[in-house]
């Protein structure tokens, strides 16, 4: 009986463990409202907690997501993020939110969130969205692309860390909201990181990686790589 219980416990732990570690760490208290100290030099996994006695309702509050983001930029899209930097009460809670606005043919270009899965819902417009899997174990296979056309009310998931994009294929503005499984998902916009880094990546690296001539890399590195968020 004792052994059977032990075995059961092992099975239970094994089956729950992947969920326990699938996103930001679980909180060990009701909340840990972040202290807004941009010059803090102590690093914790998240931010330092405000004294709970000093916590107020506004620490869990944000207003203004009804307002469209300004899409007058080279990509024609704008991400308005509501994460721990806007709502300090999100600290340690493993969740955040964005509003994304798209002008007609506006693009949220290929990017990844290193710390979060994203679940997106379309409110207005028509989006062509997709993500690409990580490198397959079999070197003869390719990274796989999953795409979908989304209409108002449609929901789509972008798994954590994978490169994904959304493109407004309609003649009208589009609006989407998305939940992300991190208080601070992070964004790596692929083109910006590779061609727009400061200082630039050595051209020998990029000509070889992308199998193009140096003038192509010159051209790409000379672009202004706009960050939409
Ligand atoms: C939107 O952004 C553009 C470019 O930065 C700027 O010229 C324009 O004034 C902004 N519009 C609004 C309504 O803020
Ligand atoms: C945090 O402090 C900075 C600078 O003091 C301020 O601009 C920002 O709005 C503050 N954020 C919050 C959520 O209070």
């Amino acid at each position: 009986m004792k052994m059977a219980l032990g075995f059961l416990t092992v099975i239970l732990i094994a089956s729950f463990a992947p969920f326990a570690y699938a996103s930001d760490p679980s909180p060990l208290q009701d909340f840990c409202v972040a202290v807004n100290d941009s010059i803090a030099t102590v690093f914790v996994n998240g931010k330092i907690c405000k004294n709970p006695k000093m916590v107020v309702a506004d620490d869990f509050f944000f207003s203004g997501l009804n307002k469209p983001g300004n899409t007058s930029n080279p990509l024609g899209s704008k991400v308005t993020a509501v994460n721990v930097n806007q709502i300090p009460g999100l600290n340690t809670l493993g969740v955040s939110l964005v509003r994304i606005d798209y002008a007609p043919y506006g693009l949220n270009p290929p990017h990844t969130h290193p710390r979060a899965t994203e679940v997106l819902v379309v409110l207005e417009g028509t989006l062509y969205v997709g993500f690409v899997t990580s490198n397959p174990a079999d070197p003869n296979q390719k990274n796989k692309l999953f795409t979908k056309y989304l209409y108002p009310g449609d929901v789509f998931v972008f798994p954590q860390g994978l490169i994904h994009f959304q493109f407004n294929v309609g003649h009208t503005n589009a609006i989407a909201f998305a939940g992300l499984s991190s208080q601070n998902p992070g964004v790596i916009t692929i083109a910006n990181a590779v061609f727009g880094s400061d200082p630039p990546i050595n051209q020998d690296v990029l000509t070889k990686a992308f199998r193009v001539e140096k003038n192509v890399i010159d051209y790409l590195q000379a672009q202004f790589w706009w960050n939409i968020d």
Side-chain angles (χ1 to χ4, degrees):
M1 182 65 192
K2 211 171 168 191
M3 237 180 93
L5 261 181
F7 185 63
L8 197 66
T9 311
V10 168
I11 299 261
L12 275 176
I13 289 173
S15 56
F16 283 120
F19 298 105
Y21 296 109
S23 64
D24 288 8
S26 304
L28 297 173
Q29 59 285 309
D30 278 0
F31 50 75
C32 163
V33 172
V35 171
N36 186 11
D37 180 0
S38 55
I39 55 165
T41 50
V42 181
F43 287 87
V44 291
N45 196 14
K47 298 186 189 242
I48 298 164
C49 311
K50 190 173 175 180
N51 179 347
K53 289 182 184 138
M54 307 295 284
V55 168
V56 293
D58 275 347
D59 288 326
F60 304 94
F61 176 76
F62 177 88
S63 183
L65 268 202
N66 57 325
K67 296 194 192 84
N70 185 345
T71 57
S72 302
N73 60 59
L75 290 164
S77 71
K78 176 69 187 172
V79 176
T80 308
V82 183
N83 55 43
V84 71
N85 298 315
Q86 286 75 36
I87 302 186
L90 281 176
N91 193 37
T92 75
L93 297 184
V95 66
S96 60
L97 184 71
V98 293
R99 170 183 172 136
I100 315 174
D101 289 278
Y102 312 82
Y105 309 109
L107 174 70
N108 186 0
H111 65 279
T112 83
H113 303 291
R115 293 176 288 278
T117 289
E118 174 173 348
V119 53
L120 178 133
V121 56
V122 177
L123 258 69
E124 284 179 22
T126 308
L127 297 179
Y128 168 72
V129 306
F131 69 83
V132 182
T133 62
S134 54
N135 300 359
D138 177 351
N140 297 314
Q141 286 182 358
K142 292 186 174 181
N143 305 63
K144 188 167 181 183
L145 172 68
F146 293 86
T147 63
K148 194 87 184 157
Y149 285 92
L150 303 181
Y151 304 92
D154 289 354
V155 174
F156 197 75
V157 174
F158 304 103
Q160 178 163 353
L162 301 188
I163 293 181
H164 61 282
F165 58 84
Q166 301 111 26
F167 186 39
N168 178 5
V169 289
H171 314 283
T172 59
N173 290 340
I175 304 172
F177 284 79
L180 294 119
S181 62
S182 170
Q183 67 176 48
N184 185 21
V187 187
I188 302 167
T189 308
I190 307 307
N192 303 31
V194 174
F195 300 113
S197 68
D198 179 22
I201 297 178
N202 184 305
Q203 293 200 327
D204 294 338
V205 173
L206 296 180
T207 49
K208 192 148 193 159
F210 289 88
R211 300 188 196 167
V212 292
E213 300 297 323
K214 188 177 162 302
N215 62 333
V216 178
I217 299 299
D218 280 337
Y219 174 83
L220 289 167
Q221 287 188 327
Q223 302 304 305
F224 177 66
W225 294 101
W226 181 271
N227 265 327
I228 60 160
D229 51 332

